Amino acid sequence: MPLPDVHYFLPQWIEPSDKTLDCDVCVYGGTASGVIAAVTAAKRGKRVIILNPANHLGGMTTGGLGWTDSGKKSVIGGASRQFYRDLGKHYGKEEEWLFEPKVAQKIIDGYVRDANVTVHHRAFLATVLRDGQRITAVRMMGGLTVKARMFIDATYEGDLLALAGVRYHVGREANSVYGETINGVQAHDKHQFSHPVDPYVKPGDPTSGVLPWINERDAALSGSGDSRIQAYNFRICMTDDPALHIPWQKPDDYNPLNYELARRWFNAPKDQYNDQLPNYEGRPEGFIRKFDELQRTPTGFAKTDTNNHGAVSSDFIGASHVWPESTYAQREVVFRAHVSWQMGYYWTMANDPAIPQRYREVYARFGLSRDEFGDTGGWSHQLYVREARRMVADYVLNEHDTQHHRKAPDPVGMGSYPMDSHNCQRFVRDGRVMNEGDVQLSPAGPYGVSYRSIIPAKGECENLLVPVCISSSHIAYGSARMEPVFMVLGQSAALAACLAIDANVATQAVPYASLRAELDKAKQVLEA
């Protein structure tokens, strides 16, 4: 079966253009953060253009992540909180944090339409033009050029900040870099193989080679740094409603070896089960645990936000490392590989006779939903890029902030979610496969994100703001990288950009007292 017609980049999308457009604020990236930033600036009378390297606005907020990872909702304010209240209006509630992708899409598109923000979809960055420390214009593949006084990089990848020459990091820092304790290589018991599972193609025979996406060598020293990043997947909206249900299809490029770990894992002896193993407990989808129910259809069936859970699940562990610094064409290859791998995983779970029947029954009962992602066959248009580049600025958010060992004096938003890194690799230790990279540690409480974490360091670029690929260590980013926080920081970035335009100063020269006054007016929450 061919893969769903869903893509990250196709050459035929690029349309030649010799146009040069002029605006006050140019937002590169149509994520929810980028949309909130654009609408905020437009409501303050600025001319705004969104250049969106995608076919839809909203990023993960409209791309399947309907089970909102919010942390402490009390610290989500401003336009971000209003988004969840607008969702609530749709569902007849005060606010709603569990929502269908199509509803989020309707609201996000409405924001842009009502604010009269110009949007260019399928706009892929080719060149950044600079004059000293200022970006003067950006040029897209195809030739479209946009001049602006302020630029906001709201992509998950940080492509604009990178082409602008701003310093960034990819991967996990060693604990020693910022004096942290849970950064770098980490092998723990969560989302882990709790009992031995053979890693070799021919069980017990190392000469047969390891199964796909497993490193033959043991992991490096705990706490050491590397270039690996946490696994990506698609957050899939499933349903068991027969009227909407689309059965799982077997990809044409299906490789049985890709799912041999699943076969071995899901056939573990029952007496070795623990809370990390699939555990059928009567509720049909209960053993999966991450078939998170969003809403009920009018006929009483479920719609879900399905995420990774356990030792073997929908995360394509090891396949994301090349994404951040790849070209758009190279990312298309990685994107399609993720579609194929995850589609094949669901098909295996629903159909492979080697998978125990009780698991097959549930996966077969669920499928894609016909009323979601209509132009891509029910499959999400947004790969969950959990982290990519992270800016390195004058204030690097790290474990000391999350654990309240220090406090930023210039907050523009707050994080509160646990420091959450998905696994980064699989390796062989003592003849068994192990997962590595998963970390889950709660912060000491809500913490502030410094203004200096969303702007480049002094002397690098004076008219760029970065509300998504913020200046943060890997492990602190695992807490801050939540969609509500990105929207908060998008609004704060736009308010700072407006102040900088009005005063004709660099973003680094915006007085925090002035910015704080605007943040307070916008009902941002800056203290817990």
Side-chain angles (χ1 to χ4, degrees):
M1 177 73 182
L3 296 179
D5 190 22
V6 55
H7 299 272
Y8 174 81
F9 170 85
L10 292 176
Q12 56 266 36
W13 287 352
I14 306 302
E15 297 182 0
S17 174
D18 59 1
K19 290 183 178 179
T20 297
L21 306 178
D22 196 5
C23 63
D24 297 309
V25 178
C26 176
V27 178
Y28 184 63
T31 60
S33 179
V35 168
I36 295 299
V39 170
T40 298
K43 287 182 176 179
R44 280 155 180 77
K46 307 306 180 188
R47 298 168 300 146
V48 184
I49 293 175
I50 294 177
L51 298 172
N52 182 32
N55 292 306
H56 305 84
L57 294 171
M60 284 306 303
T61 294
T62 59
L65 207 170
W67 184 277
T68 306
D69 295 323
S70 61
K72 302 291 186 183
K73 295 182 177 66
S74 59
V75 299
I76 304 300
S80 182
R81 190 58 172 261
Q82 186 60 49
F83 170 73
Y84 297 99
R85 288 172 178 157
D86 290 339
L87 285 166
K89 292 177 184 177
H90 175 86
Y91 291 109
K93 302 178 182 180
E94 182 177 352
E95 58 186 30
E96 182 57 89
W97 302 78
L98 309 178
F99 53 88
E100 298 158 282
K102 64 181 182 181
V103 177
Q105 190 71 66
K106 180 180 179 180
I107 292 172
I108 287 290
D109 289 345
Y111 285 169
V112 170
R113 181 185 62 250
D114 294 346
N116 292 314
V117 173
T118 299
V119 180
H120 293 268
H121 293 295
R122 298 179 175 179
F124 294 89
L125 186 62
T127 306
V128 173
L129 306 177
R130 288 185 52 151
D131 181 6
Q133 294 182 23
R134 295 188 68 85
I135 301 172
T136 57
V138 292
R139 183 167 295 133
M140 303 296 105
M141 298 175 66
L144 175 66
T145 300
V146 177
K147 297 179 178 179
R149 298 179 68 184
M150 286 287 153
F151 293 83
I152 296 176
D153 185 342
T155 63
Y156 293 120
E157 294 85 5
D159 290 335
L160 175 53
L161 75 89
L163 274 181
V166 172
R167 193 157 63 104
Y168 65 87
H169 185 78
V170 175
R172 302 181 287 182
E173 300 91 348
N175 275 328
S176 58
V177 174
Y178 298 116
E180 297 175 300
T181 65
I182 55 171
N183 207 338
V185 174
Q186 300 285 329
H188 297 292
D189 60 350
K190 298 295 184 182
H191 301 285
Q192 184 59 271
F193 296 90
S194 62
H195 63 280
V197 173
D198 196 293
Y200 302 114
V201 174
K202 182 178 179 181
D205 182 5
T207 65
S208 66
V210 292
L211 293 170
W213 301 99
I214 299 176
N215 299 320
E216 293 190 61
R217 294 183 179 180
D218 201 334
L221 184 67
S222 180
S224 58
D226 61 18
S227 60
R228 295 184 176 94
I229 57 177
Q230 55 186 307
Y232 299 170
N233 71 347
F234 289 91
R235 297 288 282 258
I236 297 300
C237 184
M238 298 183 182
T239 185
D240 60 350
D241 187 340
L244 300 175
H245 178 274
I246 302 174
W248 305 116
Q249 301 296 320
K250 184 179 182 180
D252 287 341
D253 61 352
Y254 182 83
N255 179 3
L257 279 181
N258 279 339
Y259 312 102
E260 182 58 23
L261 273 183
R263 298 183 189 95
R264 296 177 188 181
W265 174 243
F266 280 86
N267 280 286
K270 187 174 181 180
D271 61 1
Q272 293 182 339
Y273 279 6
N274 67 11
D275 67 344
Q276 288 300 302
L277 249 87
N279 189 8
Y280 186 72
E281 297 173 345
R283 180 170 177 258
E285 65 274 24
F287 75 90
I288 303 169
R289 291 186 60 186
K290 284 299 177 180
F291 273 38
D292 289 324
E293 185 178 302
L294 298 175
Q295 300 290 330
R296 287 275 166 180
T297 64
T299 49
F301 292 94
K303 294 181 78 172
T304 75
D305 168 1
T306 309
N307 194 14
N308 179 83
H309 183 81
V312 182
S313 188
S314 61
D315 275 359
F316 195 179
I317 298 174
S320 61
H321 306 322
V322 300
W323 180 273
E325 298 187 291
S326 290
T327 65
Y328 297 120
Q330 290 168 339
R331 286 180 187 164
E332 166 69 7
V333 174
V334 178
F335 183 96
R336 295 289 284 176
H338 277 74
V339 176
S340 176
W341 189 92
Q342 194 166 340
M343 186 177 175
Y345 172 77
Y346 292 144
W347 182 90
T348 299
M349 293 301 298
N351 296 280
D352 195 312
I355 300 298
Q357 182 179 355
R358 62 185 179 274
Y359 304 150
R360 280 186 279 124
E361 287 177 350
V362 176
Y363 271 93
R365 198 185 101 196
F366 280 83
L368 299 176
S369 185
R370 294 185 190 278
D371 66 341
E372 299 285 354
F373 308 116
D375 60 344
T376 53
W379 194 271
S380 172
H381 51 73
Q382 177 66 59
L383 181 64
Y384 195 177
V385 178
R386 289 187 169 95
E387 71 176 307
R389 297 182 179 96
R390 301 186 308 280
M391 183 168 61
V392 180
D394 288 334
Y395 195 106
V396 181
L397 181 77
N398 60 49
E399 186 180 328
H400 295 288
D401 296 274
T402 68
Q403 297 305 307
H404 292 185
H405 298 155
R406 69 172 181 173
K407 181 178 180 181
D410 53 352
V412 290
M414 300 197 79
S416 64
Y417 197 78
M419 285 174 282
D420 177 17
S421 172
H422 284 231
N423 279 306
C424 301
Q425 66 169 325
R426 288 191 169 115
F427 65 92
V428 177
R429 176 176 291 171
D430 299 327
R432 60 180 288 185
V433 62
M434 299 283 289
N435 290 337
E436 185 277 311
D438 183 88
V439 178
Q440 300 172 53
L441 179 66
S442 295
Y447 56 88
V449 178
S450 169
Y451 175 54
R452 289 164 291 161
S453 289
I454 70 168
I455 56 173
K458 289 182 179 179
E460 288 196 353
C461 185
E462 63 182 31
N463 64 335
L464 175 66
L465 299 102
V466 184
V468 176
C469 295
I470 64 173
S471 178
S472 172
S473 71
H474 156 75
I475 198 57
Y477 194 76
S479 171
R481 63 174 180 83
M482 303 302 152
E483 291 291 291
V485 178
F486 287 156
M487 285 189 273
V488 165
L489 298 179
Q491 183 176 23
S492 296
L495 292 172
C498 291
L499 288 174
I501 290 172
D502 293 344
N504 195 28
V505 298
T507 56
Q508 294 84 357
V510 172
Y512 180 69
S514 300
L515 177 56
R516 178 62 183 256
E518 291 299 314
L519 297 173
D520 289 339
K521 289 179 186 176
K523 297 183 179 179
Q524 295 282 47
V525 179
L526 304 175
E527 295 177 355

